[in-house]
Amino acid sequence: LAFPRLIAPKFIPVSNRSATWSRFSLGGDIMNRPRFFRMAQFNLGLNYDWMASAFSKNQITLFELKYNKLIRKTAEFSQTMSFEDQFIPKFGYTYSYDRNFSNRRNRDRQFTLQLSLVEGGNLFSGIWRLAGDRGQKRLFGTPFSQFIKGTASVTYSHLLAPDQRIVARIMTGAAHAYGNSQAVPYNEQFYIGGANSIRAFAVRSVGPGRYHSSSRRDNGYYDQTGTFRFEMNLEYRFPIAGMLKGALFADAGNIWLLKDDPARPGGKLSRTDFLRDLALGTGVGLRFDMGMLVIRGDLGYGLHLPYDTGHSGYFNVGKFGDSLAFNLAI
């Protein structure tokens, strides 16, 4: 439910706020993985959005509370992951800067910057401590998470000719749990691979670091998350015919752990192995661009994986067929 004004107490000055929105949200989701678990998530929140200038936007998550309830789990899943019911109280701030630079010499250039900082559980933890609670703190009998998470993303786009464009992106992020939590909530952790990441590899098939599950079953899907992410993308976009567009791309990146996990050896972030830990892939793509709707298919070719594949050298993915991945996005 969105209101085109800042809904706040009268002592907060709002006269100089233009293009301001107050957004109230209430929702729920159910995730069902038949072989592993069924989980429900409920959330409520209040956000303020306003344009500080023609190019910059601010968003404050004044309050958001999520509740994760594990409805069912199998013995197979219990051997892989440890999920628990929990509350996730969050406050956050996101700053976005988006600007076009155009002149005859440099043609069209676009620069986008997005910075985000989220903290969870600190206000609740402080209230509980003032009340004298020094152990694990609970809300309605259920533990709540305490963590901090930051992300940054920079995108640069340059128009070479009509409908021909070079786009480059660098993004990074880190998350850290402390106090009332031993681990960052699962849905706040990072993963990599797939249609919106390193397109030469399937989603959650790389990382963290050099870790690689010895099992090829689906439960490896849950192991491959981390608390630090770094990614780079480069793409050349060009027209083919009408609404059909093409792209050539190269992607590199990975996720890591900020804390050592004996169950995932090689997953911790290491300065000496950072470059070699970056997965690398390239590929081609087709876009069916209908304006409001874009159907995108990318065929990626893997060049380097950070873990031991049994092949020597930097280009260690192996057979040509094993190096291909197709990702479809809308």
Side-chain angles (χ1 to χ4, degrees):
L1 184 62
F3 297 88
R5 62 184 182 275
L6 185 65
I7 299 177
K10 291 184 178 180
F11 63 83
I12 298 178
V14 297
S15 59
N16 60 346
R17 297 284 186 251
S18 61
T20 301
W21 289 85
S22 298
R23 306 181 190 274
F24 298 87
S25 60
L26 176 67
D29 299 279
I30 293 180
M31 176 183 287
N32 185 39
R33 299 279 293 184
R35 289 178 51 196
F36 302 111
F37 69 89
R38 181 183 294 120
M39 183 174 68
Q41 181 184 87
F42 306 94
N43 66 279
L44 60 91
L46 169 60
N47 295 279
Y48 290 147
D49 299 351
W50 74 91
M51 298 294 295
S53 71
F55 312 109
S56 60
K57 177 183 177 181
N58 298 273
Q59 181 182 71
I60 292 180
T61 300
L62 192 63
F63 179 73
E64 182 179 67
L65 182 63
K66 292 183 178 180
Y67 175 60
N68 290 339
K69 174 65 176 178
L70 192 61
I71 301 173
R72 177 189 60 83
K73 62 180 179 179
T74 65
E76 183 179 6
F77 179 74
S78 298
Q79 297 173 0
T80 306
M81 296 290 292
S82 178
F83 277 11
E84 63 178 8
D85 298 344
Q86 63 178 340
F87 282 99
I88 308 174
K90 292 167 51 178
F91 298 84
Y93 171 72
T94 299
Y95 172 79
S96 302
Y97 181 86
D98 191 342
R99 185 168 184 177
N100 287 309
F101 301 87
S102 301
N103 57 51
R104 293 181 180 178
R105 182 176 179 181
N106 294 313
R107 298 197 177 186
D108 181 83
R109 297 172 296 157
Q110 184 175 12
F111 175 82
T112 303
L113 169 69
Q114 186 173 83
L115 305 173
S116 176
L117 182 65
V118 175
E119 67 86 15
N122 291 309
L123 178 61
F124 279 34
S125 179
I127 295 174
W128 265 244
R129 287 181 65 87
L130 289 174
D133 192 343
R134 295 293 188 269
Q136 187 181 45
K137 304 166 185 66
R138 297 173 179 268
L139 178 64
F140 304 120
T142 301
F144 60 83
S145 297
Q146 191 173 1
F147 67 96
I148 189 168
K149 176 182 177 181
T151 60
S153 175
V154 176
T155 304
Y156 177 77
S157 173
H158 191 108
L159 187 68
L160 301 176
D163 286 338
Q164 295 187 44
R165 187 178 292 273
I166 289 284
V167 182
R169 185 186 71 148
I170 298 178
M171 75 88 60
T172 187
H176 175 65
Y178 57 96
N180 210 45
S181 298
Q182 295 294 319
V184 176
Y186 186 77
N187 57 358
E188 295 290 342
Q189 296 183 31
F190 301 102
Y191 60 89
I192 208 160
N196 298 308
S197 182
I198 307 178
R199 288 160 283 185
F201 307 103
V203 62
R204 299 180 190 241
S205 63
V206 179
R210 298 183 304 281
Y211 168 76
H212 182 62
S213 174
S214 58
S215 172
R216 299 302 295 175
R217 299 177 301 173
D218 288 341
N219 60 2
Y221 178 91
Y222 301 101
D223 289 327
Q224 298 191 257
T225 60
T227 50
F228 184 85
R229 178 180 179 181
F230 180 80
E231 183 180 332
M232 300 181 295
N233 312 96
L234 182 65
E235 183 168 296
Y236 168 57
R237 301 170 183 172
F238 54 90
I240 297 178
M243 292 185 288
L244 186 63
K245 316 289 184 180
L248 300 173
F249 61 84
D251 306 319
N254 204 344
I255 55 171
W256 292 265
L257 303 172
L258 295 179
K259 297 179 181 179
D260 193 24
D261 182 358
R264 292 181 285 178
K268 188 177 180 182
L269 180 65
S270 170
R271 182 177 62 181
T272 56
D273 297 320
F274 180 79
L275 293 178
R276 194 165 187 86
D277 283 354
L278 295 176
L280 177 65
T282 187
V284 298
L286 292 176
R287 286 91 173 91
F288 191 67
D289 187 351
M290 294 175 282
M292 292 185 64
L293 179 68
V294 178
I295 301 175
R296 174 164 57 89
D298 292 311
L299 181 63
Y301 178 73
L303 299 174
H304 173 73
L305 281 166
Y307 56 83
D308 184 10
T309 63
H311 300 273
S312 60
Y314 182 80
F315 302 102
N316 61 349
V317 178
K319 297 179 182 179
F320 180 80
D322 296 336
S323 306
L324 297 176
F326 179 75
N327 288 288
L328 181 67
I330 299 177

